[in-house]
Amino acid sequence: MSRALVAGVFGAYHHVLPYPLVSRAERFKAKARGKLRIEYRERNEGYKKLRESLLAVGDMVEISEDKKNPDTWIIESVEERRNAVHRASFGRQQCLAANIDGVVIMASVRSPEFNLGFVERCLAEVQISGVEVLLIVNKYDLITEPDEETEKVLRWYESISISVQRETLKGGLSPSLRERFAAGTWLLLGQSGTGKSTLLNQLFGQSLQAVGEVSLINKGRHTTTNPALYCDPGNSRLVLIDVPGLREFGMHHRDAHEIRQAYPDFLRYQCRFENCLHLNEPGCAVKAAVEQNEIPEFRYRYYVSMLDTVQENFKPRKGDYWRGIRK
Ligand SMILES: Nc1nc2c(ncn2[C@@H]2O[C@H](COP(=O)(O)OP(=O)(O)O)[C@@H](O)[C@H]2O)c(=O)[nH]1
Ligand SMILES: [Mg+2]
Ligand SMILES: [Zn+2]
């Protein structure tokens, strides 16, 4: 039996890497033992939240060889997760990565335009998971003048201690970013075309992955997004997890109380009720702060729209019911 790191999840099959990582680590195909799958199903019986798959990229597992089937290893057990980042999509909750040291949210000022809703939802999820976050805003070469709306947002984030890095990744990696990514396991979140693959290639100094134009293939169709793990052949201390084709970042796997905790700028205010959701409660200090422009309106707007989608209020679309039940 040996320890391994889950590097890819493809339905019932997984890619695992022997752990500790060695340079040019070989990937093995592995499948969870039936017993593990049954235990998991029993644990999830009557589970209040949306279901998720048994294993995620970043999980640490014990694997053993299958004498009858030498191509496929067997996953015997899964270690408890130190942390995990999830998203909801089509009535399911998907664990994008487990056991990470930080999250990079990649956005761009142009092509694609800065998508505030996407960034807000990612930030909320990362805040709930308690992981360090770095927001990279890329493609500053495409604008002559910074957009005042976007800059206002970024300055607010900086004022509440969210690290923001304005970049032109195409022009090379800044020394501060290179230093930041010297080691650790990082999850890359961001819409297609923002520059995630560009960052990956620059950090690993070789074309590990094709850097493509914004993909038009399968546009408008739901395709499963499979997070994939990359490690540097020359530096096993750095691991990056990319989620290609991430279009939606739903938050309906979270409950209202979790969303409330995701806004550190709101938590500084003392409302009359300790568990105030800042909606229609009397004596709400957060709403007063929004009215006084102490909290920018956009923060409150996205907070309320997120509360509208949380699990208590989540209404699956036609067909989503089945997605939640299967497996
Ligand atoms: N103008 C400009 N284009 C960039 C920059 N960084 C990446 N790109 C381009 O944007 C496109 C999408 O980048 P990619 O890294 O594939 O994005 P991903 O979908 O997030 O992985 C590619 O054509 C890149 O060359 C940048 O700083 N400026
Ligand atoms: Mg990419
Ligand atoms: Zn309140």
Side-chain angles (χ1 to χ4, degrees):
M1 205 115 89
S2 53
R3 211 165 167 224
L5 170 67
V6 176
V9 177
F10 311 95
Y13 284 95
H14 306 84
H15 279 161
V16 298
L17 297 170
Y19 200 88
L21 299 176
V22 285
S23 311
R24 303 228 169 261
E26 202 186 332
R27 282 182 196 216
F28 296 120
K29 204 166 103 178
K31 216 178 161 178
R33 191 176 281 294
K35 182 170 149 269
L36 207 61
R37 292 204 299 271
I38 292 164
E39 277 171 9
Y40 161 79
R41 225 169 286 174
E42 282 167 359
R43 260 204 321 276
N44 276 271
E45 212 59 62
Y47 193 52
K48 280 207 305 289
K49 294 199 174 188
L50 302 172
R51 280 147 203 257
E52 65 166 277
S53 49
L54 169 61
L55 286 154
V57 170
D59 265 326
M60 295 298 310
V61 294
E62 286 281 345
I63 55 170
S64 66
E65 232 170 327
D66 185 356
K67 296 277 181 314
K68 284 178 287 182
N69 187 2
D71 292 344
T72 307
W73 289 64
I74 297 173
I75 297 170
E76 301 282 357
S77 64
V78 191
E79 292 177 23
E80 200 181 324
R81 290 174 185 164
R82 180 155 61 86
N83 56 43
V85 172
H86 293 85
R87 67 143 184 178
S89 169
F90 290 88
R92 282 188 74 93
Q93 100 166 314
Q94 181 187 21
C95 180
L96 296 171
N99 306 318
I100 52 179
D101 298 307
V103 172
V104 174
I105 301 174
M106 186 72 77
S108 53
V109 286
R110 286 279 179 288
S111 60
E113 298 277 314
F114 186 76
N115 185 333
L116 184 52
F118 192 93
V119 171
E120 279 280 307
R121 290 190 293 278
C122 288
L123 278 174
E125 173 63 23
V126 174
Q127 198 76 40
I128 294 166
S129 68
V131 183
E132 180 188 332
V133 65
L134 169 64
L135 171 63
I136 300 181
V137 187
N138 190 24
K139 307 200 186 185
Y140 266 84
D141 60 310
L142 293 181
I143 52 171
T144 44
E145 293 251 311
D147 173 49
E148 202 33 51
E149 282 295 300
T150 308
E151 293 307 316
K152 252 193 226 160
V153 167
L154 300 183
R155 282 198 299 272
W156 181 257
Y157 288 159
E158 287 167 321
S159 80
I160 57 170
S161 304
I162 294 168
S163 309
V164 179
Q165 187 101 15
R166 296 164 181 79
E167 284 289 332
T168 297
L169 287 175
K170 208 166 110 175
L173 207 56
S174 65
S176 66
L177 273 191
R178 194 168 288 283
E179 199 177 310
R180 190 109 192 218
F181 294 115
T185 299
W186 293 82
L187 168 66
L188 302 182
L189 294 181
Q191 293 193 297
S192 284
T194 50
K196 299 181 299 297
S197 299
T198 305
L199 177 68
L200 251 161
N201 289 338
Q202 285 182 349
L203 280 170
F204 291 154
Q206 62 178 93
S207 275
L208 272 179
Q209 189 187 35
V211 179
E213 291 299 321
V214 180
S215 173
L216 293 171
I217 306 164
N218 288 324
K219 203 172 178 183
R221 248 181 62 201
H222 175 67
T223 46
T224 33
T225 41
N226 292 318
L229 183 143
Y230 296 86
C231 46
D232 186 340
N235 167 19
S236 56
R237 293 192 307 144
L238 177 66
V239 170
L240 292 181
I241 299 167
D242 186 21
V243 189
L246 188 64
R247 222 171 282 128
E248 273 191 90
F249 201 96
M251 287 294 286
H252 45 264
H253 57 301
R254 295 298 185 183
D255 62 34
H257 186 70
E258 286 172 314
I259 302 292
R260 188 181 169 277
Q261 297 293 331
Y263 278 71
D265 34 354
F266 294 9
L267 295 173
R268 297 192 290 217
Y269 291 89
Q270 293 248 300
C271 302
R272 188 179 306 164
F273 297 111
E274 208 186 322
N275 282 328
C276 184
L277 285 176
H278 324 309
L279 297 172
N280 295 311
E281 299 93 331
C284 174
V286 167
K287 273 179 94 163
V290 176
E291 270 156 38
Q292 304 285 317
N293 287 321
E294 283 175 32
I295 292 174
E297 185 261 338
F298 84 88
R299 286 288 275 175
Y300 187 66
R301 187 156 35 92
Y302 282 103
Y303 166 77
V304 172
S305 77
M306 237 178 280
L307 280 190
D308 269 344
T309 68
V310 293
Q311 48 169 334
E312 298 96 310
N313 300 327
F314 174 64
K315 300 201 181 45
R317 279 167 285 181
K318 203 177 164 205
D320 287 349
Y321 296 100
W322 294 107
R323 287 198 180 84
I325 289 162
R326 230 182 270 153
K327 275 196 183 170

